[in-house]
Amino acid sequence: MDIERHQVLDKGCEVNATKLELMRERFLDQNAVQVCKLCKNAIDNAIATVCCDELLCASCICNWLNTHNTCPTCKAEMQASSLNHPGKIVSRMISNLSIRCDFHKPALDGCPEVVALGRLKQHVEMCPFNPNTTRKEKPIRAVRPSSTVSEVCAASPSKLQGDVAGSLTTRMVSGRMVDGRLEVKTAGERRGHAKVLQVIPTALVPSTDASSSTLKRREAEMVRHAETISGGSDGARVQLIAGLRKLSAAAQETLLQAAGLRPSAIAPGTALALKADLRLPWSQLRKLRQWLKVFGVKLESEHTMREFIATALPSYTAIELPMTKRNGDVSMTAMVHFPDLVAVTMHFLDVLHESQRMTWHSGVIPESEVWLKIGGDHGGGNFKLSIQIANTANPNATNNTIPICIFKEKDTPANLETALGQYRPQLEKLQQSLWRGKSIKVYLFGDYEFQAVNYGISGSSGVRPCIHCHTTKKDMARVAGDRPSKDREPRTLATLSTNHAEFVEAGAQLSQAKLHNNVIRHCILPVPIRNAITPVLHLDLGIFTWMFEALLKELSHLDVLLAAGCDRTETDSAVFAKLCDLNKDLLAVQVQVTNSAHELHTVHQQLQFVALHFQQQGQGPDVLALLRNLQQLHATVQARHQEHVAQQAHIQQEISKVSGSKDFTGPCVASVEPVLQQHKIERQVYHGGAFIGNHVHRALKPTVVTAITHSHIPVVAERRAELSQEANAIAKRYDGLMKAYAECRDVFSSCSAVDDAELQGLQENIGVFLDMCRKCIVQRGLGHITPKLHLLEEHTVPPMREFRVGLGLLAEQGAESLHSSMNTLDVLYKNIPGSLARLKTVADQHLLTTTKEASTLKPVPQKRKADEQRPTTSQQ
């Protein structure tokens, strides 16, 4: 029985073979046609078998199972309950296959429509070419694609109905289209601006229910139309951006999230740039990762980031070395360092080159050279030796300052030798090395104390304290032209070595250091002395503080004069009020001294007269009594006068003590502080009240200089007008002095190229400024010429003339900024146990800011709008 059924089925399949071939030709994509193994026709309402996943027509397999209990394909046992629906995706793929109408014919009189397989049955029932259609209109004879409208009308002499005419017009236009486009030129159109007709297919299924392939096809259609309207792909992109910008911020966010355009993962390099910019410890980064995960953003794992760091950055070596403390004791001190200075330098040069951040500053640095700065400074409890590469746009930036060696102790000569002695041969090798065919020129930066220790000079207390020449401290006070020429000869590494050897051979007696040009140690970092850069920042701080302290001394003297002739007020300081009271007491005592002196003089004259009369007239009882009374009166008046004189001396001593005390602040001195606060110029509580960081550049602005030097004039005019002339003279002297220095500073502290004319002008201005210093301060006994003033006078213009650039390019500003950055990191990592582990963590974290990723991926800060005001304290 089964055999007979198979034979009947096979016979039916043979009958359908021709029909199948014809149907296959009607599919646009013949390779995508799914054929039922039973009816040999396109699958209708697909069902899948469990045993072999074969797709069959639902009606065919049901009819088969009515007479069979095996799979028609693999012959395995099968029941109706073991059939599965293939799912929406497969069913939709089959249903969306494009197929021509049943009444399609190769000739021109067939139906030209192409529909989805799922809508074929519906279309066939309504097709105008179906002889059994329910439509009353007769089909119109097909026309050629090249037919004109008149030909179409002639082909259908009967009155055209709207839908039939539309169909004919569509067929005619479609036949002339190329890739779905037809240009139509009309008489009114300008040349080159023809209109374009395009086919816009009607959606059979909304995009919310469409398959991915349909969405992709529709997107291609939309892009094609947008390019036509907007004039190309670039225009379509601009038009799309303009449309997105019209949406609200919330709508944009929703749209981007729905489209999956938000980054699903942050790359390791970007994550490290984020960590470096926000200074996040690993624990805080873990919390951030959890938060980002909530919003669907994946941050790379900590393991991946640590591996990236290990490959992208050199690694510090952490050790402990015996170093000397302040009290003289020796203990093990934490230190992190790079053992190989040459390799680290080459690495960071390569990083700058790969990130295209190398520059030669418009010819300031020769194309054949790379300039490397090396120097150290103590701050925040640590000494830091760092390098900076000058071939960058911002050579003094913190992210261009790379710590080479850090230790937690004072920078005494012994400690520096212990920590930095390892770099002596490496630095010699580095200066002889080449990087990509370019020579490496090394410069030394740092404050005066560091440079003096590095070159083995005894320091500012020595007879010959200058780093660059042999000028004595006494000769520094003299005009440059009056100094001995032999003392102005420059020091070199060779002369330093000779002087040190002679000092050692003579017994290394510090008292005899002046005989050997004050060289008492060997050089630590062998950088040529001509490449030792004058410390611009410390020069600023030292010279301005020197002028400012002299101004305060003059104002303090003015306060003493002011206190001698004015009454105290509620706003005066307690010390100044006491000085006013003492001056009042002094005036009263001075009156008493004058009176008692006059009385004593009168009694003394009477006593002399009576004594003379007594000698001439003899010893009468009345004369003798009068003589005794006068003698007693003289003794009494003399004692009273001596008491008043003693009181006067005591009060004068108290006045000197009060006016000379550190706590003495009169109204003239006090008038300066509000000006400093107004312009945000801060002074350190310790270190002798030195100014903080780069605040000197604010103080040296012309308007600020005038405000500082003239702040006391209104006070004097109000409280003791007769002192106004002296007050104006003080203001004039220091206003001119500070502005003269500011004019010099603007040139030598810049990072710009300088020419001969600028250098000549700078040399003349420095000479004028030093002359004013000697007249206004030195000759008045308010100060002496310091080594920093000598550096300005003798050793500022020569290196600028050699390097043809301002000293700001090669100075120590970056090392000073490094203190602030690492102090902040030290606070963040204070919970790490052990000073060595904490120091290494802080150094590693700072090193992240020097990477290519941290420099190039850091977001640019957005400036506030010009009309946007900062909130006031009450608003906050």
Side-chain angles (χ1 to χ4, degrees), residues 157-204:
S158 61
K159 185 178 180 181
L160 296 176
Q161 301 296 325
D163 55 347
V164 177
S167 177
L168 282 171
T169 304
T170 300
R171 291 167 53 198
M172 182 185 70
V173 172
S174 300
R176 292 185 175 184
M177 285 185 171
V178 178
D179 295 333
R181 293 165 51 91
L182 176 64
E183 291 190 1
V184 180
K185 296 184 179 180
T186 60
E189 294 294 331
R190 292 178 296 170
R191 181 175 299 177
H193 291 271
K195 293 186 177 184
V196 177
L197 301 181
Q198 286 186 297
V199 175
I200 300 179
T202 303
L204 302 177

Side-chain angles (χ1 to χ4, degrees), residues 480 744 747 757-769 792-798 801:
C744 300
V747 179
E758 289 176 306
L759 292 172
Q760 181 64 30
L762 175 61
Q763 187 70 67
E764 294 174 357
N765 290 336
I766 290 176
V768 171
F769 170 68
L792 174 65
E793 186 177 24
E794 289 285 331
H795 305 295
T796 298
V797 175
R801 183 172 286 112

Side-chain angles (χ1 to χ4, degrees), residues 540-556 668-677 681-684 688-691 696 699-700 704-705 707-711 730 734-735 737-738 741 769 773 777 782:
D540 264 353
L541 292 172
I543 294 178
F544 182 79
T545 302
W546 182 76
M547 294 186 294
F548 187 81
E549 292 296 338
L551 172 64
L552 293 186
K553 289 179 182 179
E554 296 229 41
L555 295 183
S556 181
C668 293
V669 174
S671 66
V672 179
E673 189 62 30
V675 178
L676 299 180
Q677 293 179 0
I681 303 169
E682 300 180 21
R683 302 185 70 186
Q684 298 181 16
F691 289 89
V696 171
L700 287 174
V704 181
V705 168
I708 292 174
T709 56
H710 289 70
S711 61
I730 294 174
Y734 287 90
D735 185 74
L737 185 66
M738 291 184 178
Y741 176 70
F769 170 68
C773 289
I777 297 179
L782 301 173

Side-chain angles (χ1 to χ4, degrees), residues 34 37-38 47-56 61 64 70-79 82-84 86:
Q34 298 291 329
K37 295 296 181 65
L38 294 177
I47 290 293
T49 61
V50 177
C51 53
C52 56
D53 292 329
E54 183 67 36
L55 294 178
L56 303 168
I61 189 61
W64 171 269
T70 59
C71 174
T73 303
C74 65
K75 306 305 179 182
E77 292 186 3
M78 186 178 64
Q79 298 178 358
S82 61
L83 296 175
N84 286 333

